[in-house]
Amino acid sequence: MIKLIIKTIVLSAFVSFTMLKSQSVKEILKQNGSFRKDTIFSVKSDSKETYLPVTIIKGKEKGPVFTIVAGIHGYEYPPIIAVQELLKEIEPENIKGSLIIIPIANVESFQKRTPFVNPLDQKNLNTAFPGLENGSPTEQIAHLITKEIISNSTIFLDIHGGDASEDLLPFVCYYNRKDTPENTKRAHELSEKSGIEYVVSYPYTLKSTDQSKYAFKEATQQGITALSIEAGKLGTVQKDNVNLIKTAVYNMLEYSGNYVTRKLKSFNKKPIVLLNQQDYIRVPEDGIFYSELKSGDKVKKNQILGYISDEFGNKKQDIVSQTNGIVLYKVGTPPINKGETLFCIGYNE
């Protein structure tokens, strides 16, 4: 069962919010005037309870509804901290249209310091979309985001980073959905205006009946302009990545017409690098991984990327690149498990 909690409560320093009467996001967006409203959706499944925090900031003038989501993976800290700072800085009088902000989508994962999955049901929110109304906590959260958030968005931005074991190069990405060219063009333009050097486009092959799995892929499937920022790595807070995310978000908000008091900034004068293909190297067997490579390194076809050993230090096999490209992300810690993504190598074709 999903319902909006009705009363006022002040939480500790990290999150404080005012509970509203039972209203949908759509009803809140219809309210007159310029305002900020912080609310939560309660999630209950059997004896397990959690919640989804949502902030809505509405300006005086009409404009797009720009949604920002952080913390779908609760161990990806730079996106969460960047959005916390944005919540402190953005004022309704500087907004045209509306912002919907989910500061931490996976509260239990964040609080329990759990990589990838929600500890309440051991499910990965990033592969649960569109979710289930009466499913497990993770499935209910995905359903809430799908029905209450994505469906009311004009632009949907999902912010991720490297989880506890992931070494990641900052990039911004979108799906190249060719049957909705205007949305794809807008996502590409927002990506370029973000100021992030690397822009990645993914192929889009979903049918309308296919499960989307990922939040911004669900938004793309619904015909909404959608994209994602990836910044941060190895389960720590890096101030440079927090600032990179914030600057990118402000740049996108200004370009979309949602933010009216700031000029676009760039991180550097380097040209945009577009990567429209990805080679995913999966872990072939359990073991200990050794590699001198890091995210952002360029690799060549047939290059040895590292090797796997057993617990006694015996070499089991080399990992070899199948393409020329750049390491977008990789496992950055020694333990590896069969089937995991060991490397994602981006390239242009």
Side-chain angles (χ1 to χ4, degrees), residues 39 41 44 49 71 74 84 94 106 119 129 152 167 174 187 216 224 256 260 283 285 288 291 317 330-331 337 339:
T39 189
F41 287 91
K44 294 183 179 181
E49 296 186 23
Q84 289 296 305
N94 297 328
N106 198 334
F129 287 85
N152 288 300
D167 178 18
Y174 62 92
F216 85 107
I224 292 164
S256 68
V260 295
V283 176
E285 57 181 320
I288 302 171
S291 176
Q317 63 175 294
K330 62 179 287 289
V331 172
N337 301 288

Coordinates of all heavy atoms in Angstrom, one line a residue, residues 39 41 44 49 71 74 84 94 106 119 129 152 167 174 187 216 224 256 260 283 285 288 291 317 330-331 337 339:
T39 N 7.6 17.0 0.8 CA 6.6 16.0 1.3 C 7.3 14.6 1.2 O 8.3 14.5 0.6 CB 5.4 16.1 0.4 OG1 4.4 15.2 0.9 CG2 5.7 15.7 -1.1
F41 N 6.3 10.3 0.5 CA 5.3 9.2 0.3 C 5.8 8.0 1.1 O 6.9 7.6 1.1 CB 5.4 8.8 -1.2 CG 4.7 9.8 -2.2 CD1 5.5 10.8 -2.7 CD2 3.4 9.7 -2.4 CE1 4.9 11.7 -3.6 CE2 2.8 10.6 -3.3 CZ 3.6 11.6 -3.9
K44 N 4.8 0.9 2.4 CA 4.6 -0.2 3.3 C 4.4 -1.5 2.5 O 3.6 -1.6 1.6 CB 3.4 0.0 4.2 CG 3.5 1.2 5.2 CD 2.3 1.3 6.1 CE 2.5 2.5 7.0 NZ 1.3 2.6 8.0
E49 N 8.7 -0.9 6.2 CA 8.3 0.4 5.9 C 9.5 1.3 5.5 O 10.6 1.2 6.1 CB 7.6 1.1 7.1 CG 6.3 0.4 7.6 CD 5.6 1.1 8.7 OE1 5.8 2.4 8.8 OE2 4.8 0.5 9.4
G71 N 20.3 9.4 -5.7 CA 20.2 8.4 -4.7 C 19.4 7.2 -5.0 O 18.9 6.5 -4.1
G74 N 22.0 4.3 -3.1 CA 22.2 5.1 -1.9 C 23.7 5.2 -1.5 O 24.0 6.0 -0.6
Q84 N 21.6 17.9 -2.2 CA 21.4 18.6 -0.9 C 21.8 20.0 -0.9 O 21.0 20.9 -0.4 CB 22.2 17.9 0.2 CG 21.7 16.5 0.6 CD 20.3 16.5 1.2 OE1 20.1 17.2 2.2 NE2 19.4 15.8 0.7
N94 N 13.5 32.3 -8.3 CA 14.4 32.2 -9.4 C 14.0 31.1 -10.4 O 14.7 30.8 -11.3 CB 15.8 31.8 -8.9 CG 16.4 32.9 -8.0 OD1 16.1 34.1 -8.2 ND2 17.2 32.6 -7.0
N106 N 16.5 6.1 -2.6 CA 16.7 4.9 -1.9 C 17.2 5.2 -0.5 O 18.4 5.0 -0.2 CB 17.6 4.0 -2.7 CG 17.5 2.5 -2.3 OD1 17.1 2.2 -1.2 ND2 17.9 1.6 -3.2
P119 N 18.3 -2.7 1.3 CA 18.5 -3.8 2.3 C 17.1 -4.4 2.8 O 17.1 -5.5 3.3 CB 19.2 -3.1 3.5 CG 19.0 -1.7 3.3 CD 18.8 -1.4 1.9
F129 N 12.2 -0.6 -12.6 CA 11.2 0.2 -13.3 C 10.4 -0.6 -14.3 O 11.0 -1.4 -15.0 CB 11.8 1.5 -13.8 CG 12.2 2.4 -12.8 CD1 13.4 2.4 -12.1 CD2 11.3 3.5 -12.4 CE1 13.7 3.2 -11.1 CE2 11.6 4.3 -11.4 CZ 12.8 4.2 -10.7
N152 N 4.6 13.3 -14.6 CA 4.4 14.7 -14.5 C 5.5 15.6 -14.9 O 5.6 16.8 -14.7 CB 4.0 15.0 -13.1 CG 2.6 14.5 -12.7 OD1 1.6 14.9 -13.3 ND2 2.5 13.6 -11.7
D167 N 35.0 2.7 -10.2 CA 35.8 3.8 -10.6 C 35.2 4.3 -11.9 O 35.1 3.6 -12.9 CB 37.3 3.3 -10.9 CG 38.2 4.5 -11.3 OD1 37.8 5.6 -11.2 OD2 39.3 4.1 -11.9
Y174 N 22.3 9.9 -22.6 CA 20.9 9.8 -23.0 C 20.7 8.7 -23.9 O 21.6 8.1 -24.5 CB 20.4 11.2 -23.6 CG 21.1 11.5 -24.9 CD1 20.6 11.1 -26.1 CD2 22.3 12.2 -24.9 CE1 21.3 11.4 -27.3 CE2 23.0 12.5 -26.1 CZ 22.5 12.0 -27.3 OH 23.1 12.3 -28.4
A187 N 17.5 16.2 -25.4 CA 18.4 15.5 -24.5 C 19.9 15.7 -24.9 O 20.7 15.9 -24.0 CB 18.1 14.0 -24.4
F216 N 15.7 6.6 -16.0 CA 15.6 7.5 -17.1 C 15.3 6.8 -18.5 O 14.9 7.5 -19.4 CB 16.9 8.4 -17.2 CG 18.1 7.9 -17.9 CD1 18.4 8.4 -19.2 CD2 18.9 6.9 -17.3 CE1 19.6 7.9 -19.8 CE2 20.0 6.5 -17.9 CZ 20.4 7.0 -19.2
I224 N 9.3 11.2 -22.8 CA 9.7 12.4 -22.1 C 11.2 12.6 -22.3 O 11.9 11.6 -22.5 CB 9.5 12.2 -20.5 CG1 7.9 12.2 -20.3 CG2 10.1 13.3 -19.7 CD1 7.6 11.6 -18.9
S256 N 17.0 25.0 -20.2 CA 15.6 24.6 -20.4 C 14.7 25.8 -20.1 O 13.5 25.6 -20.4 CB 15.3 23.5 -19.4 OG 15.4 23.9 -18.0
V260 N 16.5 31.4 -14.0 CA 16.5 32.7 -14.7 C 17.5 33.7 -14.2 O 17.5 34.8 -14.6 CB 15.1 33.3 -14.7 CG1 14.1 32.5 -15.4 CG2 14.6 33.5 -13.2
V283 N 32.7 -10.0 -16.0 CA 33.6 -10.8 -15.3 C 33.4 -12.2 -15.7 O 32.3 -12.8 -15.5 CB 33.4 -10.6 -13.8 CG1 34.3 -11.5 -13.0 CG2 33.7 -9.1 -13.4
E285 N 34.8 -15.0 -14.3 CA 34.8 -16.0 -13.2 C 35.2 -15.2 -11.9 O 35.8 -14.1 -12.0 CB 35.8 -17.1 -13.4 CG 37.2 -16.6 -13.7 CD 38.2 -17.8 -14.0 OE1 38.0 -18.8 -13.3 OE2 39.0 -17.7 -14.8
I288 N 40.2 -12.4 -7.9 CA 40.8 -11.1 -7.5 C 41.3 -10.4 -8.8 O 42.1 -11.1 -9.5 CB 42.0 -11.3 -6.5 CG1 41.4 -12.1 -5.3 CG2 42.6 -10.0 -6.1 CD1 42.5 -12.5 -4.3
S291 N 44.7 -4.5 -12.1 CA 44.7 -3.7 -13.3 C 45.4 -2.4 -12.9 O 45.1 -1.8 -11.9 CB 43.4 -3.5 -13.9 OG 43.4 -2.6 -15.0
Q317 N 43.4 -15.8 -15.7 CA 43.3 -15.4 -17.0 C 43.4 -13.9 -17.2 O 43.2 -13.1 -16.2 CB 42.0 -15.8 -17.7 CG 40.7 -15.3 -17.0 CD 39.5 -15.7 -17.8 OE1 39.3 -15.3 -18.9 NE2 38.6 -16.5 -17.1
K330 N 34.8 1.1 -14.4 CA 35.4 -0.2 -14.2 C 35.3 -0.6 -12.8 O 35.0 0.3 -11.9 CB 36.9 -0.2 -14.6 CG 37.7 0.7 -13.8 CD 39.2 0.6 -14.2 CE 39.9 -0.7 -13.7 NZ 40.1 -0.7 -12.3
V331 N 35.4 -1.9 -12.5 CA 35.6 -2.3 -11.1 C 36.9 -1.7 -10.6 O 37.9 -1.9 -11.1 CB 35.5 -3.8 -10.9 CG1 35.8 -4.2 -9.5 CG2 34.1 -4.3 -11.3
N337 N 33.1 -10.7 -9.2 CA 32.1 -11.9 -9.2 C 31.6 -12.1 -10.6 O 31.4 -11.1 -11.3 CB 31.0 -11.6 -8.3 CG 31.4 -11.3 -6.8 OD1 31.8 -12.3 -6.1 ND2 31.3 -10.1 -6.4
G339 N 29.9 -12.4 -13.9 CA 28.7 -11.7 -14.5 C 28.7 -10.2 -14.3 O 27.9 -9.5 -14.9

